[in-house]
């Protein structure tokens, strides 16, 4: 069972690695092109209402980074409603895969898993409005 899981894990890593798999590289290029059209970063696509770890990670980030994220999202919504894209020179300046959230998100997930392992109460719980 462990051998099958490790081989499927290595296969999955190979399939998702754009450096090794041509189809993954094509998909990454396609996502890059679509994000550049609206001036978004990949981390902007994470929804804090769906995952409380993402919400906590965003709360821990500096205010300037969160404000920049919100501004990118507002600009993307505005462009989408107008059926327009950023100009080509602005698209060339965009960095869609430059991460600002992943390090903090990994830290929040490690803390949550550690608290669960120790049997402590969670820092946050989902509540329905």
């Amino acid at each position: 069972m462990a051998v099958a899981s490790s081989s499927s894990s290595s296969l999955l890593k190979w399939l998702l690695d754009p450096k090794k798999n041509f189809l993954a590289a094509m998909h990454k290029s396609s996502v890059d092109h679509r994000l550049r059209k609206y001036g978004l970063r990949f981390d902007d696509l994470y929804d804090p209402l769906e995952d409380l770890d993402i919400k906590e990670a965003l709360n821990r980030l500096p205010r300037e980074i969160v404000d920049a994220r919100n501004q990118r999202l507002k600009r993307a919504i505005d462009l989408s409603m107008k059926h327009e894209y950023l100009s080509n020179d602005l698209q060339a300046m965009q960095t869609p895969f430059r991460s600002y959230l992943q390090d903090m998100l990994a830290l929040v997930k490690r803390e949550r898993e550690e608290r669960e392992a120790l049997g402590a109460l969670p820092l946050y719980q989902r509540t329905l409005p």
Side-chain angles (χ1 to χ4, degrees):
M1 182 73 175
V3 173
S5 122
S6 69
S7 66
S8 64
S9 171
S10 63
L11 176 66
L12 185 62
K13 286 180 183 177
W14 177 83
L15 283 173
L16 297 177
D17 187 4
K19 295 175 185 169
K20 297 179 181 176
N21 186 350
F22 175 72
L23 295 175
M26 283 180 41
H27 176 69
K28 183 177 180 183
S29 174
S30 172
V31 170
D32 179 87
H33 180 68
R34 290 178 189 177
L35 290 174
R36 282 180 189 267
K37 285 182 180 182
Y38 294 105
L40 290 172
R41 290 187 181 170
F42 190 76
D43 286 352
D44 294 339
L45 302 179
Y46 288 111
D47 186 3
L49 299 177
E50 292 295 321
D51 188 356
L52 294 176
D53 289 340
I54 293 170
K55 182 177 181 179
E56 180 65 24
L58 285 171
N59 286 339
R60 293 183 185 188
L61 286 174
R63 189 81 230 147
E64 305 86 42
I65 294 176
V66 176
D67 288 344
R69 175 185 194 268
N70 291 335
Q71 198 63 31
R72 284 192 301 272
L73 288 169
K74 286 179 185 178
R75 176 179 58 192
I77 291 169
D78 183 52
L79 288 170
S80 176
M81 294 297 286
K82 294 178 182 177
H83 299 283
E84 296 177 0
Y85 300 123
L86 285 178
S87 63
N88 289 336
D89 57 333
L90 285 177
Q91 285 185 35
M93 295 171 50
Q94 301 305 310
T95 54
F97 290 105
R98 187 170 146 208
S99 177
Y100 62 89
L101 185 62
Q102 294 302 317
D103 295 336
M104 189 62 71
L105 184 58
L107 176 67
V108 168
K109 286 187 178 192
R110 275 195 315 268
E111 288 177 359
R112 179 180 47 80
E113 290 167 357
E114 181 181 352
R115 289 182 69 81
E116 288 174 357
L118 294 173
L121 293 174
L123 290 176
Y124 44 84
Q125 294 182 354
R126 182 177 295 276
T127 58
L128 298 174

